[in-house]
Amino acid sequence: MPDVLDAHPYDALLLLSFGGPEGPDDVVPFLENVTRGRGIPTERLKEVGQHYFLFGGVSPINDQNRALLDALRKDFAEHGLDLPVYWGNRNWAPYLTDTLRQMVQDGRRRILTLATSAYASYSGCRQYRENLADSLAVLKEEGLEPPVVDKLRHYFNHPGFVEPMVDGLVASLADLPDDVRDGAHIAFTTHSIPTSAADTSGPVEDHGDGGAYVRQHLDVAQVVADAVRERTGVDRPWQLVYQSRSGAPHIPWLEPDICDHLEERHAAGVPAVVMAPIGFVSDHMEVLYDLDTEATAKAAELGLPVRRSATVGDDPRFAAAVREMVLERAGTERGRNVTPCALGALGASHDVCPVGCCPARTPRPAAAGADSPYA
């Protein structure tokens, strides 16, 4: 096998995701997992779960992860990369601890992790690293030797993540009526997070107003907008907006909300808006409800034509990007001089999360970083 397809020292890839219910009876137990330790009453969880009940109690995220698994395994096989791919979730089956236990029992000793979150933030990176540390601690308590676990870099600006979003946005613009298409504005959307979490996202040197989380999204939005302008010949105004806010109303979160933004754009006389969910890897519940249901209903109420562009999902280009990043990281670990692939002004993200990166309010052990207790 050529050296370029050598994943050594890694002997497995772990797809690490959020998880979601797969039936009505799963909704409340799933939300109990998500909110564990917060003391939220069951009746309140049932209210929160209405978004899931609207879709039969089924989150699309698990099926989307199954599709991504298939795409990764297909791409690896077609390119001669002999690396098994496993899947574990934070909040629902297959649970991360169970998957890591199986990997150890299968003899996997050096694991590379792909999280289904492309950007730097506590909830999108460090919390997954904390989950890894928790699971590794369980394995150690069971008498199993914990494997060494690393995490792939943030891939928000990898061409294999960006290019499918450009195609989706161009297709959505083409789907608008002819008389509003050229005047349409673009609303790049991502998950809102507390401003305190945004300000401390990324390495310490990136902390500040919005932190790495906002800067990374703005950089990708500019790259996508520029590519769409080149493809369509129209320079459209755009703005980064937020969705899926949760938590106490007195805590500041990133704004503006997508529905507020649609009202403002309509009041300003904008003829149409395309919502581009660049902050999401696939069409999971936040996309289906907050954009396709809630925001689309708001636009209909306003009489504002809207479209929602596709997420990356299991696009073959994304699967190829994962393969490229696996080989890139493996080469780096073997001491090779590797040039990572990235678009935009920020360059490729770090391979190893440094100390102080996306800190938690209450310090907890986190694996797959410079401060990992399982190095």
Side-chain angles (χ1 to χ4, degrees):
M1 182 182 298
D3 186 60
V4 71
L5 294 182
D6 183 5
H8 177 78
Y10 298 106
D11 53 21
L13 177 69
L14 168 64
L15 176 64
L16 177 55
S17 194
F18 192 82
E22 300 203 76
D25 293 341
D26 296 343
V27 173
V28 171
F30 163 73
L31 293 173
E32 288 174 341
N33 288 341
V34 174
T35 61
R36 179 163 286 121
R38 302 182 200 172
I40 299 177
T42 299
E43 289 306 311
R44 174 58 182 151
L45 294 179
K46 289 180 180 178
E47 293 176 16
V48 173
Q50 291 305 311
H51 295 179
Y52 292 97
F53 291 126
L54 286 174
F55 296 88
V58 179
S59 168
I61 193 170
N62 281 349
D63 277 346
Q64 289 162 5
N65 280 325
R66 292 183 185 103
L68 179 56
L69 278 172
D70 289 343
L72 291 171
R73 289 166 176 160
K74 181 175 184 289
D75 179 272
F76 287 9
E78 289 178 348
H79 291 84
L81 178 59
D82 184 16
L83 190 71
V85 186
Y86 295 75
W87 169 36
N89 288 326
R90 173 188 293 172
N91 297 303
W92 202 248
Y95 288 104
L96 173 59
T97 301
D98 296 335
T99 299
L100 281 173
R101 184 185 298 110
Q102 184 62 57
M103 296 177 82
V104 170
Q105 292 170 348
D106 290 347
R108 311 304 176 192
R109 300 303 312 151
R110 188 76 185 269
I111 297 167
L112 193 52
T113 303
L114 167 69
T116 54
S117 177
Y119 299 84
S121 70
Y122 170 74
S123 58
C125 184
R126 185 175 179 89
Q127 191 171 10
Y128 281 117
R129 294 176 49 225
E130 292 175 352
N131 299 146
L132 285 166
D134 291 343
S135 294
L136 293 171
V138 170
L139 299 187
K140 189 173 182 179
E141 290 172 1
E142 294 174 351
L144 297 171
E145 183 181 351
V148 175
V149 180
D150 293 330
K151 180 178 176 292
L152 281 173
R153 64 180 171 92
H154 302 300
Y155 46 85
F156 62 93
N157 56 2
H158 194 288
F161 186 69
V162 173
E163 290 166 1
M165 293 191 292
V166 173
D167 288 350
L169 186 45
V170 169
S172 292
L173 286 164
D175 191 49
L176 283 168
D178 293 346
D179 59 336
V180 299
R181 183 180 304 122
D182 285 352
H185 285 212
I186 303 169
F188 291 107
T189 77
T190 190
H191 208 301
S192 184
I193 61 175
T195 56
S196 58
D199 293 347
T200 57
S201 58
V204 173
E205 60 269 22
D206 287 343
H207 293 180
D209 187 16
Y213 186 75
V214 172
R215 283 193 283 279
Q216 288 171 359
H217 280 87
L218 288 173
D219 194 52
V220 171
Q222 186 66 66
V223 170
V224 173
D226 288 346
V228 170
R229 183 189 66 245
E230 292 175 6
R231 292 266 296 274
T232 65
V234 179
D235 189 9
R236 293 178 174 83
W238 62 268
Q239 185 173 339
L240 177 64
V241 302
Y242 302 93
Q243 60 174 95
S244 313
R245 179 196 164 125
S246 60
H250 68 278
I251 297 175
W253 284 52
L254 293 173
E255 295 178 337
D257 177 78
I258 177 61
C259 289
D260 295 338
H261 178 69
L262 292 176
E263 288 186 337
E264 188 275 331
R265 291 293 80 201
H266 177 257
V270 170
V273 173
V274 173
M275 302 178 290
I278 60 171
F280 302 88
V281 174
S282 62
D283 289 4
H284 50 74
M285 187 56 70
E286 282 84 351
V287 175
L288 291 187
Y289 182 79
D290 297 332
L291 294 184
D292 293 355
T293 304
E294 190 174 50
T296 300
K298 170 58 70 174
E301 173 190 319
L302 297 169
L304 176 67
V306 295
R307 296 293 186 272
R308 195 269 291 174
S309 65
T311 53
V312 174
D314 60 344
D315 190 289
R317 288 168 292 184
F318 182 46
V322 173
R323 167 173 45 84
E324 291 168 7
M325 288 188 295
V326 166
L327 296 172
E328 166 197 303
R329 180 64 184 275
T332 299
E333 292 295 312
R334 296 197 306 272
R336 290 173 57 91
N337 185 16
V338 176
T339 302
C341 191
L343 300 174
L346 297 181
S349 183
H350 49 262
D351 277 335
V352 179
C353 292
V355 176
C357 194
C358 303
R361 286 178 294 178
T362 303
R364 292 178 53 201
D371 54 355
S372 172
Y374 297 99

